[in-house]
PDB file of all heavy atoms in Angstrom:
ATOM      1  N   PHE A 278      10.326  -3.234  -1.707  1.00 98.00           N
ATOM      2  CA  PHE A 278      10.912  -1.962  -1.244  1.00 98.00           C
ATOM      3  C   PHE A 278      10.770  -1.799   0.238  1.00 98.00           C
ATOM      4  O   PHE A 278      11.702  -1.427   0.986  1.00 98.00           O
ATOM      5  CB  PHE A 278      10.275  -0.781  -2.002  1.00 98.00           C
ATOM      6  CG  PHE A 278      10.833   0.593  -1.596  1.00 98.00           C
ATOM      7  CD1 PHE A 278      12.086   0.974  -1.896  1.00 98.00           C
ATOM      8  CD2 PHE A 278      10.020   1.429  -0.840  1.00 98.00           C
ATOM      9  CE1 PHE A 278      12.590   2.158  -1.396  1.00 98.00           C
ATOM     10  CE2 PHE A 278      10.509   2.679  -0.390  1.00 98.00           C
ATOM     11  CZ  PHE A 278      11.799   2.994  -0.724  1.00 98.00           C
ATOM     12  N   THR A 279       9.510  -2.027   0.730  1.00 98.00           N
ATOM     13  CA  THR A 279       9.252  -1.923   2.136  1.00 98.00           C
ATOM     14  C   THR A 279      10.174  -2.727   2.992  1.00 98.00           C
ATOM     15  O   THR A 279      10.792  -2.313   3.989  1.00 98.00           O
ATOM     16  CB  THR A 279       7.779  -2.286   2.454  1.00 98.00           C
ATOM     17  OG1 THR A 279       6.957  -1.254   2.049  1.00 98.00           O
ATOM     18  CG2 THR A 279       7.547  -2.561   3.924  1.00 98.00           C
ATOM     19  N   THR A 280      10.383  -3.982   2.600  1.00 98.00           N
ATOM     20  CA  THR A 280      11.174  -4.965   3.347  1.00 98.00           C
ATOM     21  C   THR A 280      12.648  -4.703   3.223  1.00 98.00           C
ATOM     22  O   THR A 280      13.384  -4.776   4.204  1.00 98.00           O
ATOM     23  CB  THR A 280      10.825  -6.358   2.974  1.00 98.00           C
ATOM     24  OG1 THR A 280      10.918  -6.542   1.545  1.00 98.00           O
ATOM     25  CG2 THR A 280       9.369  -6.718   3.386  1.00 98.00           C
ATOM     26  N   SER A 281      13.060  -4.262   2.034  1.00 98.00           N
ATOM     27  CA  SER A 281      14.488  -3.949   1.902  1.00 98.00           C
ATOM     28  C   SER A 281      14.818  -2.680   2.700  1.00 98.00           C
ATOM     29  O   SER A 281      15.951  -2.515   3.246  1.00 98.00           O
ATOM     30  CB  SER A 281      14.825  -3.667   0.447  1.00 98.00           C
ATOM     31  OG  SER A 281      14.523  -4.848  -0.393  1.00 98.00           O
ATOM     32  N   ALA A 282      13.899  -1.727   2.775  1.00 98.00           N
ATOM     33  CA  ALA A 282      14.132  -0.482   3.565  1.00 98.00           C
ATOM     34  C   ALA A 282      14.260  -0.851   5.066  1.00 98.00           C
ATOM     35  O   ALA A 282      15.125  -0.297   5.787  1.00 98.00           O
ATOM     36  CB  ALA A 282      12.973   0.452   3.387  1.00 98.00           C
ATOM     37  N   VAL A 283      13.582  -1.887   5.534  1.00 98.00           N
ATOM     38  CA  VAL A 283      13.777  -2.309   6.905  1.00 98.00           C
ATOM     39  C   VAL A 283      15.168  -2.810   7.114  1.00 98.00           C
ATOM     40  O   VAL A 283      15.833  -2.583   8.065  1.00 98.00           O
ATOM     41  CB  VAL A 283      12.710  -3.405   7.254  1.00 98.00           C
ATOM     42  CG1 VAL A 283      13.026  -4.054   8.582  1.00 98.00           C
ATOM     43  CG2 VAL A 283      11.272  -2.732   7.331  1.00 98.00           C
ATOM     44  N   GLY A 284      15.621  -3.604   6.083  1.00 98.00           N
ATOM     45  CA  GLY A 284      16.994  -4.175   6.199  1.00 98.00           C
ATOM     46  C   GLY A 284      18.035  -3.005   6.294  1.00 98.00           C
ATOM     47  O   GLY A 284      18.980  -3.096   7.097  1.00 98.00           O
ATOM     48  N   LYS A 285      17.836  -1.930   5.529  1.00 98.00           N
ATOM     49  CA  LYS A 285      18.787  -0.776   5.638  1.00 98.00           C
ATOM     50  C   LYS A 285      18.661  -0.151   6.974  1.00 98.00           C
ATOM     51  O   LYS A 285      19.669   0.377   7.528  1.00 98.00           O
ATOM     52  CB  LYS A 285      18.478   0.209   4.482  1.00 98.00           C
ATOM     53  CG  LYS A 285      18.777  -0.325   3.056  1.00 98.00           C
ATOM     54  CD  LYS A 285      18.430   0.608   1.973  1.00 98.00           C
ATOM     55  CE  LYS A 285      19.421   1.752   1.811  1.00 98.00           C
ATOM     56  NZ  LYS A 285      20.703   1.386   1.213  1.00 98.00           N
ATOM     57  N   ALA A 286      17.458  -0.086   7.614  1.00 98.00           N
ATOM     58  CA  ALA A 286      17.325   0.465   8.890  1.00 98.00           C
ATOM     59  C   ALA A 286      18.045  -0.327   9.910  1.00 98.00           C
ATOM     60  O   ALA A 286      18.724   0.220  10.849  1.00 98.00           O
ATOM     61  CB  ALA A 286      15.786   0.559   9.212  1.00 98.00           C
ATOM     62  N   LEU A 287      17.963  -1.608   9.783  1.00 98.00           N
ATOM     63  CA  LEU A 287      18.713  -2.513  10.794  1.00 98.00           C
ATOM     64  C   LEU A 287      20.220  -2.280  10.675  1.00 98.00           C
ATOM     65  O   LEU A 287      20.928  -2.409  11.715  1.00 98.00           O
ATOM     66  CB  LEU A 287      18.317  -3.925  10.575  1.00 98.00           C
ATOM     67  CG  LEU A 287      16.872  -4.305  10.685  1.00 98.00           C
ATOM     68  CD1 LEU A 287      16.655  -5.828  10.559  1.00 98.00           C
ATOM     69  CD2 LEU A 287      16.212  -3.875  12.035  1.00 98.00           C
TER      70      LEU A 287
END
Side-chain angles (χ1 to χ4, degrees):
F278 179 70
T279 284
T280 52
S281 300
V283 170
K285 291 177 77 73
L287 300 184

